[in-house]
């Protein structure tokens, strides 16, 4: 099998290519945030000497094979779910959260960050237009389908920040305190109608249900309890279910995704489906008929660990109501992170921190196959497309 490898040839070269994206009316953006502050050494997340600035890579997913069309600098972090990137439905703005930063007192360590970078995707070339602050440890981000409201889970503060979006302006509009600073809110997902948001909490193994009315966001105080360390989460484009990935303890145990039924009087977990070791990213296809889940599969532990593997796994399930049926799986690079679909459901991207690359996969409804690779500058750790 021939696998094509495409590289980001440096910032200047990448930005020159951006008009190609602007000229394609049907282009679909995928955005990868890339952490330069983290490398894996014998299973331990380690800060390298004199790391470069973190980067953001812009990818056109509507061409075959997908291609890199831009790159710019913005802080981010591998700590937290690979959902620290969010794109407005019209692909005009992107938000990137930075969970950790270098410790000013000791550059060999990291400490919680509190920054969200706002990127104008319609300018030529795309550019950072603002940096806004949250509570410590911003992680997963969700933007509603109207493109007017963003929620950010603050993992080190037990809170969810609220931001309004108007044109290119993102404005702080308060926060929701979940009542426990150690609850570890990891990620957040809006329902398609924008009236509900679900927040995973890996500190106390719960999922919070938020009520949304315009720009007002409140905690209903109702929580769901399913697996150990709920992490990445997304609501189906159909609005009937949500899928949440659990991390477990990264000790070799097979862990599951949970299916949340959103059609009843209140959300509730109705099903668990085994996937593999230590789940990271997940994403629904645009039609909601499939969901892809990335399991690190023991690839981020020391090679001496009894359940070490030299690859991650991308597993695709078909979705019918609350039923998930495994369709296919493929091996991808070590220390896997996020996964994303093309709009036509025929291509996927899967990140590998260890490879500094995103695998390109093809899917025909039955078979999943790695067909190429996109090399990026830094370790790719956050990946999203716009939810419409």
């Amino acid at each position: 099998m021939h696998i094509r490898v495409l590289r980001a040839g440096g910032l200047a070269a990448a930005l020159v290519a951006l008009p190609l994206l602007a000229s394609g009316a049907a282009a679909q953006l995928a955005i990868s945030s890339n952490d330069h502050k983290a490398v894996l050494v014998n299973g331990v997340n380690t800060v390298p000497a004199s790391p470069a600035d973190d980067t953001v890579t812009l990818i056109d997913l509507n061409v075959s094979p997908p291609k890199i069309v831009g790159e710019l600098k913005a802080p981010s972090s591998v700590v937290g779910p690979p959902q620290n990137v969010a794109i407005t439905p019209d692909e005009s703005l992107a938000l990137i959260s930075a969970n950790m930063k270098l410790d000013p007192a000791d550059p060999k360590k990291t400490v919680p960050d509190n920054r969200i970078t706002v990127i104008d995707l319609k300018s030529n070339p795309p550019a950072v237009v603002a940096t806004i602050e949250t509570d410590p440890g911003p992680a997963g981000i969700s933007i509603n389908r109207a493109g007017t409201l963003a929620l950010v889970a603050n993992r080190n503060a037990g809170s969810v920040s609220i931001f309004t979006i108007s044109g290119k302006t993102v404005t702080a509009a308060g926060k929701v305190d979940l009542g426990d600073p150690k609850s570890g809110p990891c990620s957040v997902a809006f329902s398609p109608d924008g009236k509900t948001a679900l927040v995973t909490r890996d500190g106390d193994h719960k999922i919070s249900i938020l009520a949304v009315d315009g720009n007002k966001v409140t905690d209903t105080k109702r929580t769901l309890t399913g697996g150990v360390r709920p992490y990445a989460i997304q609501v189906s484009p159909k609005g009937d279910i949500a899928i949440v990935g659990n991390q477990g303890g990264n000790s070799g145990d097979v862990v599951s995704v949970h299916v949340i039924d959103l059609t009843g009087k209140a959300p509730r977990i109705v099903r668990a489906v085994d996937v593999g070791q230590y789940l990271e990213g997940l994403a629904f296809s645009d039609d909601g008929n499939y969901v892809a889940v990335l399991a690190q599969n023991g690839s981020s532990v020391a090679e001496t660990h009894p359940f070490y593997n030299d690859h991650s796994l991308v597993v695709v399930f078909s979705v019918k109501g609350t039923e998930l049926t495994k369709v296919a799986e493929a091996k991808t690079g070590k220390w896997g992170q996020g996964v994303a679909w093309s709009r036509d459901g025929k291509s996927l991207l899967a990140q590998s921190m260890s490879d500094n690359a995103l695998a390109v996969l093809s899917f025909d409804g039955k078979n999943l196959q790695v067909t190429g690779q996109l090399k990026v500058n830094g370790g790719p750790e956050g990946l999203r497309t716009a939810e419409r």
Side-chain angles (χ1 to χ4, degrees):
M1 176 176 62
H2 178 64
I3 295 178
R4 298 184 61 177
V5 179
L6 304 176
R7 299 177 181 271
L11 182 60
L15 290 179
V16 167
L18 281 167
L20 295 176
L21 180 67
S23 65
Q28 178 195 12
L29 269 181
I31 295 182
S32 172
S33 58
N34 313 307
D35 191 347
H36 284 258
K37 306 179 300 300
V39 294
L40 205 58
V41 179
N42 198 30
V44 177
N45 184 352
T46 305
V47 179
S50 304
D53 292 334
D54 300 331
T55 57
V56 171
T57 303
L58 311 182
I59 301 165
D60 185 357
L61 248 181
N62 200 48
V63 295
S64 183
K67 65 179 180 180
I68 293 170
V69 293
E71 179 188 288
L72 61 163
K73 296 179 180 179
S76 63
S77 174
V78 70
V79 178
Q83 297 180 318
N84 61 312
V85 177
I87 307 171
T88 55
D90 63 358
E91 296 188 340
S92 63
L93 285 184
L95 306 180
I96 314 291
S97 71
N99 184 270
M100 304 293 283
K101 63 182 179 181
L102 292 177
D103 186 346
D106 185 351
K108 295 181 180 180
K109 298 179 180 179
T110 57
V111 294
D113 205 335
N114 69 336
R115 291 174 291 173
I116 301 288
T117 300
V118 181
I119 299 173
D120 179 359
L121 297 172
K122 295 298 186 183
S123 69
N124 193 5
V128 173
V129 292
T131 300
I132 52 183
E133 295 185 349
T134 66
D135 283 350
I141 308 174
S142 186
I143 296 174
N144 66 0
R145 301 307 200 276
T148 58
L149 197 67
L151 299 178
V152 182
N154 300 312
R155 201 170 180 215
N156 295 75
S159 67
V160 176
S161 293
I162 307 164
F163 294 95
T164 60
I165 303 172
S166 178
K168 299 179 182 180
T169 302
V170 181
T171 305
K175 66 180 180 180
V176 177
D177 190 333
L178 298 178
D180 181 358
K182 295 183 180 180
S183 59
C186 285
S187 197
V188 58
F190 274 106
S191 60
D193 65 8
K195 296 180 179 180
T196 302
L198 304 175
V199 183
T200 55
R201 302 161 45 158
D202 80 334
D204 58 9
H205 317 297
K206 298 178 182 180
I207 301 169
S208 287
I209 303 171
L210 307 183
V212 184
D213 182 6
N215 297 337
K216 182 181 180 182
V217 184
T218 56
D219 186 359
T220 67
K221 304 299 183 182
R222 186 171 186 274
T223 59
L224 310 178
T225 304
V228 176
R229 296 189 61 211
Y231 207 54
I233 187 168
Q234 188 178 7
V235 176
S236 167
K238 298 178 181 179
D240 56 342
I241 63 169
I243 302 293
V244 57
N246 301 290
Q247 291 222 303
N250 203 20
S251 57
D253 301 315
V254 173
V255 291
S256 61
V257 292
H258 278 93
V259 181
I260 302 173
D261 185 359
L262 301 176
T263 63
K265 294 180 180 179
R268 67 169 183 163
I269 294 170
V270 295
R271 196 173 306 282
V273 180
D274 291 343
V275 181
Q277 297 182 56
Y278 206 71
L279 308 185
E280 271 286 332
L282 57 85
F284 278 98
S285 59
D286 258 30
D287 58 12
N289 291 333
Y290 297 96
V291 65
V293 183
L294 194 151
Q296 288 189 353
N297 192 46
S299 65
S300 61
V301 299
E303 293 186 13
T304 55
H305 193 284
F307 298 107
Y308 167 80
N309 283 300
D310 64 358
H311 58 274
S312 301
L313 285 176
V314 175
V315 185
V316 172
F317 297 88
S318 64
V319 182
K320 292 184 179 180
T322 61
E323 296 277 351
L324 302 187
T325 303
K326 184 177 176 179
V327 176
E329 68 176 43
K331 296 178 181 179
T332 55
K334 293 171 58 175
W335 202 8
Q337 299 294 319
V339 61
W341 291 83
S342 62
R343 288 196 187 115
D344 63 8
K346 295 180 180 180
S347 298
L348 295 90
L349 299 175
Q351 295 175 312
S352 165
M353 279 285 292
S354 294
D355 290 348
N356 284 11
L358 290 82
V360 179
L361 301 100
S362 65
F363 180 63
D364 63 5
K366 295 181 179 180
N367 303 293
L368 185 66
Q369 183 178 25
V370 176
T371 58
Q373 189 181 68
L374 298 174
K375 283 286 190 179
V376 296
N377 293 318
E381 34 70 12
L383 180 65
R384 296 293 273 278
T385 58
E387 294 185 79
R388 303 185 301 165

